[in-house]
Amino acid sequence: MEEIKVFCPATIANVSCGFDVLGLALDAVGDEMIVRKVPEKGIHITKIKGQDLPLAADKNVAGVAGLALLEQSGYSGGFEIEIDKRIKPGSGIGSSAASSAGAVWAMNELLGRPFSNLELVKFAMQGEKLASDVAHADNVAPAIYGGFTLVRSYDPLDIVTIPTPPELYATVIHPQIEIKTSDSRKILKSTIPMEKGIRQWGNLGGLIAGLFQNDYDLIGRSLEDHIVEPIRSILIPGFDNIKANALKADALGGGISGSGPSIFALSKGKETAEKVAQSMRETYQKVGIPFDIHVSKINAQGVKPIV
Ligand code: HSE
């Protein structure tokens, strides 16, 4: 195989109580990318559609992640990449992760899969480092593995895949304002009081147990974040109303997607997820900022070929 076209999923990082460790992959929104083998060494980004982003490999997240893989691969040629960027940078649904993960996943396929998913995550994290100054893995891990993933440890990197209950759906509203992950990390406190830590790890354990046991109520009860959400939500106009009305529309729970401004809710069943989307639409029309809404199944596969 000399060329592959892939779907690179958007992702919801943190999922309320799992700051920097939990994430899930979406199915309804993502970038598309064509990667092909070329004899010239290095990564050559030839086309980016949809967004104004750098073509220079060392300044582009897909390029940086790809270069990290290339360095370890022993392959004497290079790769050409064309990106159809459908996820806006600064949206909170893993725009940089989709490009980083898609590039390394596709390159690994073209090389005959020499690298494990864990190694691909490590390469893709270099793209995240370029985008946000921190090599966090909670977007790139679900983008590569699919479903829900937990970063149990960063050093050494240990990724645990978590099963998805069959009827779980996500609704995501993306207000058209940009919040840079690097900026929204700077406003966070570097220490947390013990009582908040206790609530957070109780919720994180509860959420993981709920996902394993298909216990939708437990999932809902566990979607709480008393550490990051109170600080970051101030940057997102209409956040409190969106969340309160999503719960009234029977969402299990929700919160900020990644570093925002996107807001997510999880629901049992597509019908409820659509009802939540309608409540978000009605709520946000009053805010006066343009927005997109996505209703999505959880993407079990992660990056996948488009045939
Ligand atoms: N865990 C990261 C953060 C995700 O919240 O800063 C960024 O998408």
Side-chain angles (χ1 to χ4, degrees), residues 13-14 19-20 136 138-139 181 185 232 258-259:
N14 303 336
F19 180 71
D20 271 2
H136 61 91
D138 49 341
N139 291 106
T181 298
R185 293 182 77 90
R232 282 184 170 171
S259 54

Side-chain angles (χ1 to χ4, degrees), residues 17 22 148 162-168 202-223 252 266:
C17 51
L22 195 62
F148 279 81
I162 314 288
T164 303
E167 291 179 84
L168 201 64
N203 279 319
L204 183 55
L207 180 51
I208 300 292
L211 292 168
F212 267 95
Q213 295 168 1
N214 295 342
D215 185 336
Y216 294 91
D217 289 337
L218 177 57
I219 292 170
R221 292 201 299 284
S222 307
L223 287 171
L252 300 167
L266 296 183

Side-chain angles (χ1 to χ4, degrees), residues 94-116:
S95 175
S96 52
S99 296
S100 308
V104 296
W105 190 91
M107 287 164 61
N108 194 43
E109 289 295 296
L110 295 178
L111 294 176
R113 299 190 190 160
F115 297 110
S116 67

